[in-house]
């Protein structure tokens, strides 16, 4: 073989190797270009609710501030206390273009129903906020403090009526924590929505009710109801005069998580890219002003690992509480 031909062959081999190195595998190539099309953001609850409002605000901030080259398309899939939407997303295994909103009820509900699809079924991406819980009474109620409630409940075991949304969900978990910490028994009255809970309280059909600050803001500001305590580690800016449970001698604390997960086994490149997108959303001024402050929430960003741990911890805590309440046999 001539020297010139040998050089040519070597040069050709080098070009082939360089070209090969320039190509990447499917996942790596996707990482560079992801996302290449709109991402479906499934909300397993009805339009207009807390989960829907969060998803639409996230989508608005992403698009308005150009955080991601492709939009988030919010799709409501309500039904079965989130089971319908969760089951659908569970079938999208490995799909980098399907995400789902997650709240605490999606951690607790499967524990009481025995459903196979759980919050932990999905790939954790990020948590964005924590939602506080208030215990409310009608404005003309004789109850003036958490101490009054505890005293009444101890004198009248099982007769104090407390309303909340759903069975085995956040409101009942809050009541379970209160009962355990204060050593009392009450009657929990479940409703299908926060609006029904408030109507029943105002109508005098129940004595107390659980609500998020955003759910009760208009009634509180109008003087129709009063907050007897907030189940948070500290008072919140939206209602600075409302005492925490701990300030009133009841060691009970609960905050609902508001977060986003991906389809089961979503590729890491998609998880990491979206976690960064949602971190930027949480740091934006619009998010803080128009979502966190407006709704009386606590801003709390958690990345994939921290959020995964939060789900694991919550499952254990909720299982214990719901077992005590007789919701898990």
């Amino acid at each position: 073989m001539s020297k010139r031909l040998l050089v040519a062959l070597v040069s050709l081999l080098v070009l082939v190797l360089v070209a090969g190195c320039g190509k990447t595998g499917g996942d790596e190539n996707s990482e560079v270009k992801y996302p290449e099309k709109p991402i479906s953001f499934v909300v397993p609850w009805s339009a207009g609710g807390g989960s829907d409002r969060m998803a639409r605000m996230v989508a608005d901030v992403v698009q308005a501030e150009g955080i991601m080259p492709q939009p988030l398309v919010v799709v409501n899939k309500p039904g079965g206390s989130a089971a319908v939407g969760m089951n659908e997303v569970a079938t999208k295994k490995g799909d980098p273009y399907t995400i789902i909103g997650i709240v605490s009820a999606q951690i607790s509900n499967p524990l009481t129903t025995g459903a196979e699809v759980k919050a932990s079924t999905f790939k954790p991406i990020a948590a964005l906020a924590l939602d506080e819980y208030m215990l409310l009474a009608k404005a003309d109620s004789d109850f003036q403090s958490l101490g009054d409630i505890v005293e009444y409940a101890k004198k009248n075991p099982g007769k104090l009526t407390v309303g909340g949304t759903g069975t085995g969900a956040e409101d009942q978990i809050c009541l379970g924590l209160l009962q355990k910490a204060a050593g009392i028994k009450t009657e929990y009255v479940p409703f299908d929505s926060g609006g029904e809970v408030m109507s029943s309280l105002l109508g005098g059909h129940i004595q107390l009710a659980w609500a998020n600050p955003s759910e009760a803001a208009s009634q509180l500001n109008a003087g129709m109801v009063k907050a007897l305590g907030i189940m948070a580690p500290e008072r919140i800016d939206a209602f600075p005069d409302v005492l925490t449970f701990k300030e009133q001698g009841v060691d009970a604390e609960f905050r609902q998580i508001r977060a986003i997960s991906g389809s089961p086994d979503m590729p890491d490149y998609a998880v990491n890219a979206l976690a960064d997108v949602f971190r930027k959303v949480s740091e934006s001024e619009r998010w803080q002003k128009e979502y966190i402050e407006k709704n009386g929430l606590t801003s709390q960003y958690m990345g994939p690992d921290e959020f995964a741990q939060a789900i694991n911890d919550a499952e254990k805590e909720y299982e214990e509480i719901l077992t005590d309440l007789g919701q898990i046999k």
Side-chain angles (χ1 to χ4, degrees):
M1 182 181 295
S2 69
K3 183 176 182 181
R4 179 175 296 179
L5 180 57
L6 180 60
V7 171
L9 288 173
V10 171
S11 299
L12 180 60
L13 178 60
V14 170
L15 287 173
V16 170
L17 290 173
V18 170
C21 290
K23 295 179 181 180
T24 57
D27 282 357
E28 293 174 355
N29 193 44
S30 297
E31 183 177 7
V32 173
K33 296 181 179 180
Y34 180 83
E36 296 183 280
K37 62 181 182 179
I39 295 172
S40 178
F41 191 161
V42 176
V43 175
W45 307 96
S46 300
S51 294
D52 181 67
R53 290 197 302 272
M54 188 196 86
R56 294 184 188 279
M57 177 57 74
V58 170
D60 284 349
V61 173
V62 167
Q63 188 162 0
E65 303 201 4
I67 296 175
M68 190 168 64
Q70 295 289 340
L72 295 173
V73 180
V74 177
V75 182
N76 294 92
K77 294 286 184 180
S81 297
V84 171
M86 292 174 71
N87 288 340
E88 179 166 323
V89 175
T91 67
K92 307 287 186 179
K93 190 173 182 179
D95 181 6
Y97 290 95
T98 301
I99 60 176
I100 183 170
I102 297 291
V103 293
S104 298
Q106 287 154 261
I107 302 174
S108 62
N109 286 345
L111 294 173
T112 61
T113 64
E116 291 185 8
V117 178
K118 308 174 183 179
S120 54
T121 298
F122 308 103
K123 199 70 174 285
I125 297 175
L128 298 177
L130 297 172
D131 215 345
E132 320 294 357
Y133 276 81
M134 289 178 166
L135 187 57
L136 307 175
K138 198 176 175 182
D140 59 3
S141 169
D142 291 336
F143 296 128
Q144 300 297 324
S145 68
L146 198 57
D148 291 343
I149 294 170
V150 173
E151 182 180 359
Y152 176 89
K154 286 185 175 180
K155 291 179 179 179
N156 303 276
K159 294 185 178 181
L160 180 67
T161 54
V162 187
T165 305
T167 299
E170 298 95 341
D171 292 3
Q172 192 170 17
I173 288 174
C174 285
L175 185 59
L177 289 168
L178 169 59
Q179 290 185 160
K180 185 175 182 178
I184 60 175
K185 291 292 182 182
T186 68
E187 180 185 353
Y188 179 69
V189 184
F191 295 88
D192 291 331
S193 69
E196 291 181 26
V197 176
M198 187 62 71
S199 295
S200 187
L201 178 65
L202 294 174
H205 305 298
I206 53 176
Q207 293 166 281
L208 302 172
W210 295 103
N212 302 124
S214 60
E215 291 178 316
S218 59
Q219 290 83 4
L220 284 165
N221 293 330
M224 300 167 68
V225 299
K226 55 188 174 184
L228 302 179
I230 187 165
M231 197 172 270
E234 56 188 26
R235 301 187 199 186
I236 62 173
D237 293 338
F239 296 99
D241 295 329
V242 178
L243 301 178
T244 67
F245 277 39
K246 287 186 177 181
E247 285 181 294
Q248 299 181 73
V250 177
D251 190 11
E253 179 183 316
F254 181 86
R255 295 192 290 183
Q256 173 178 245
I257 195 168
R258 292 197 177 276
I260 303 169
S261 288
S263 62
D265 296 332
M266 174 180 271
D268 287 342
Y269 69 79
V271 171
N272 294 332
L274 290 172
D276 187 57
V277 166
F278 298 140
R279 177 185 58 78
K280 291 175 181 176
V281 168
S282 73
E283 293 172 351
S284 73
E285 182 176 357
R286 184 179 175 193
W287 173 261
Q288 292 296 327
K289 294 281 187 184
E290 297 183 25
Y291 183 71
I292 297 296
E293 293 182 17
K294 183 178 179 180
N295 293 292
L297 302 175
T298 298
S299 183
Q300 179 68 65
Y301 177 82
M302 300 180 197
D305 292 340
E306 188 178 3
F307 175 32
Q309 186 61 52
I311 292 175
N312 183 62
D313 293 344
E315 283 185 339
K316 294 177 181 177
E317 180 185 10
Y318 296 175
E319 183 173 14
E320 181 180 342
I321 296 167
L322 292 170
T323 299
D324 288 343
L325 289 170
Q327 295 300 316
I328 299 177
K329 304 300 182 181

